[in-house]
Amino acid sequence: MKRKYQRTLELIFAQPVSANVRWVDVEALFRELGAEIEEREGSCVEVFLFGLVRVFHRPHPSPDTDKGAVAAIRKWLEENGVKP
């Protein structure tokens, strides 16, 4: 895994939950892990990864992912064996 994706993983798994995780970096990490990402209504995105579908709200106007979403992403990755 390239360093930039590893850095994003480290931010997602940081304690306490980081408020500085850029959404574009999260999407890039998902793609690196093999995800298919589709646009949904409004600012929602559908992520198909690990044989599961998750829907996330793309943050706006700030580019940073909120702490609740970061925690949910961390739990999802952890449940599927992805750790920094």
Side-chain angles (χ1 to χ4, degrees), residues 28-48:
L29 174 64
F30 286 157
R31 284 191 181 93
E32 174 70 10
L33 294 172
E36 294 177 24
I37 299 175
E38 292 185 20
E39 300 291 326
R40 299 274 304 257
E41 291 182 21
S43 59
C44 291
V45 292
E46 179 181 273
V47 180
F48 180 74

Side-chain angles (χ1 to χ4, degrees), residues 26-76:
V26 172
E27 280 192 27
L29 174 64
F30 286 157
R31 284 191 181 93
E32 174 70 10
L33 294 172
E36 294 177 24
I37 299 175
E38 292 185 20
E39 300 291 326
R40 299 274 304 257
E41 291 182 21
S43 59
C44 291
V45 292
E46 179 181 273
V47 180
F48 180 74
L49 182 62
F50 311 122
L52 302 168
V53 174
R54 294 284 192 266
V55 177
F56 295 98
H57 181 265
R58 182 178 283 135
H60 59 83
S62 170
D64 296 327
T65 310
D66 68 64
K67 289 182 178 187
V70 172
I73 291 166
R74 175 174 51 211
K75 182 178 179 190
W76 188 35

